[in-house]
Amino acid sequence: MSSSLLITDVRIFDGENEISCGSVLVEDGVIKQVVNGRLKTPDFSTVVISKPGHTLIPGIIDGHIHAEIDDEYTALTQSLKFGITTVCDMHQEVENVGRLRARATQDSDSADFKTSSQSATVSGGWPMAVITAFDKSEETRAMIASWPDLKTKADAEAFIRDRVNDKADFIKVMYEDGNGLSVKPVLPPLELQQELIRLAHEHGFLVVAHAFSLQRTIDMLNAGVDGMTHTFRDTLPTKELIDAYLAKNAHCNPTLATIGSLTTEGLKQQEVYAHDPRVQRLVSLEGQKRLCACLGLGNDKSKVEYAYQSVREMKAAGIDVILGSDSAGPAVGTSYGVTAHQELALFVNKCGFTPKEALRSGTSLVAKRLRLGDRGRIAEGLRADLVLIEGNPLENIDSTLDIRGVWKQGILCSTYKSLVA
């Protein structure tokens, strides 16, 4: 593990509250002490970083990605460069899970990895329809053919047993009707979804659901899921929706940036990030180019403003809204790490969050809702997943991209090695 580290003379946002000028001591990858003011250096071997005018925040948690495996493991390495110290993969090939976990564990330059493993799919359902809209290769068709085609209670039982064997961190169910989309996937029977949720809860799993329409969102909430992995963009929110969220104490991971790519209304925002020098120094030219394109799967019923309004009303009702980007290798309009920062800015600029509320959604709140109890806050005994930002993101959310240091379990990401040179 790392040697002792003392970060001092910095503003601290601990995931909930602010310390105007404080210090954090890290030992063996764990936060040892957090104080208002200065701390005495434990011994001569301690690395001391004094950064007045900077803000230390918990490592950001992206509650929704889909990791593509390439030679560089970009999903993990690029995320970490952007201060995303944990990624939560919400649909992954079973054979890839071990490789991604191993890379995250063994490489200090890779974000930590949590996953639902394979999601609960049916033939012709989501995400098959969206994948084949862009990729009709034989290799992709063969991959999809290996996915579960759940039909019966016995299928549901086998699926949950498989996720237990995978040591999945969550269970994800799919309930997409294609309303507001240009593709029309097969909708699974509601009774099957209810059985999956019941069985998953019996095994102690957190259950999240995919749905892009208002009615299917309400259906999944009433079925008892713990959270939604999107909001919707086919109509305005209703009182029935808000009541369903509150009745089930469910959270929402709205993925506003990706919905903007689906409808194409987010293109100008995506281009701003693609052309930002703070992004360009960390993202390949091909990655920048892909950020300047859109998924474009919406139809004339689909509006990103519906999604924004749903988040405004959820926030006003006290429903937990958490950070998750839905970044994926094949998903043009997204980029690992970058889209999480865009999502935080959308919370502030479109949905009425304060910067502090947005940062909480991406640190302590997402950790709480996804049951990641060892991270998400700067507190004694928790993982030393930390991000050092020049300026004050509690006043200007755009400052989250002014990153000067990222630590995963107390180890500095090599991109920022000049910090201690």
Side-chain angles (χ1 to χ4, degrees), residues 3-16:
S3 61
S4 296
L5 167 69
L6 176 61
I7 305 172
T8 190
D9 303 316
V10 292
R11 178 181 298 102
I12 298 170
F13 173 66
D14 67 6
E16 297 286 347

Side-chain angles (χ1 to χ4, degrees), residues 131-286:
I131 291 174
T132 54
F134 291 96
D135 185 352
K136 294 179 172 59
S137 68
E138 289 302 316
E139 181 183 7
T140 296
R141 290 185 182 278
M143 175 190 73
I144 289 173
S146 71
W147 291 357
D149 180 13
L150 305 179
K151 297 177 181 177
T152 67
K153 179 178 179 180
D155 292 339
E157 291 171 346
F159 175 82
I160 297 299
R161 285 198 303 270
D162 287 343
R163 302 295 76 77
V164 171
N165 292 336
D166 294 342
K167 296 181 171 57
D169 300 290
F170 334 97
I171 296 293
K172 185 179 182 184
V173 298
M174 301 289 197
Y175 202 57
E176 179 56 55
D177 62 6
N179 196 39
L181 293 174
S182 59
V183 294
K184 294 297 175 185
V186 172
L187 183 69
L190 181 57
E191 295 78 10
L192 177 65
Q193 305 301 87
Q194 292 168 334
E195 181 67 8
L196 284 162
I197 294 163
R198 183 187 69 78
L199 289 168
H201 283 155
E202 281 186 0
H203 284 80
F205 283 113
L206 178 92
V207 186
V208 295
H210 165 104
F212 267 140
S213 69
L214 170 65
Q215 185 55 54
R216 302 314 172 195
T217 298
I218 293 171
D219 289 345
M220 287 293 91
L221 291 167
N222 288 337
V225 295
D226 301 295
M228 300 300 300
T229 60
H230 302 280
T231 191
F232 49 88
R233 71 284 156 283
D234 63 327
T235 189
L236 286 167
T238 62
K239 182 177 184 298
E240 184 182 6
L241 171 87
I242 300 302
D243 289 346
Y245 265 109
L246 291 171
K248 301 300 181 180
N249 187 29
H251 69 263
C252 180
N253 159 207
T255 66
L256 298 173
T258 294
I259 289 175
S261 177
L262 272 172
T263 69
T264 74
E265 295 165 285
L267 179 59
K268 288 185 179 179
Q269 298 163 6
Q270 294 160 211
E271 290 175 337
V272 168
Y273 283 87
H275 299 148
D276 191 317
R278 298 171 297 179
V279 169
Q280 291 179 330
R281 72 186 185 92
L282 299 176
V283 176
S284 69
L285 288 174
E286 177 61 24

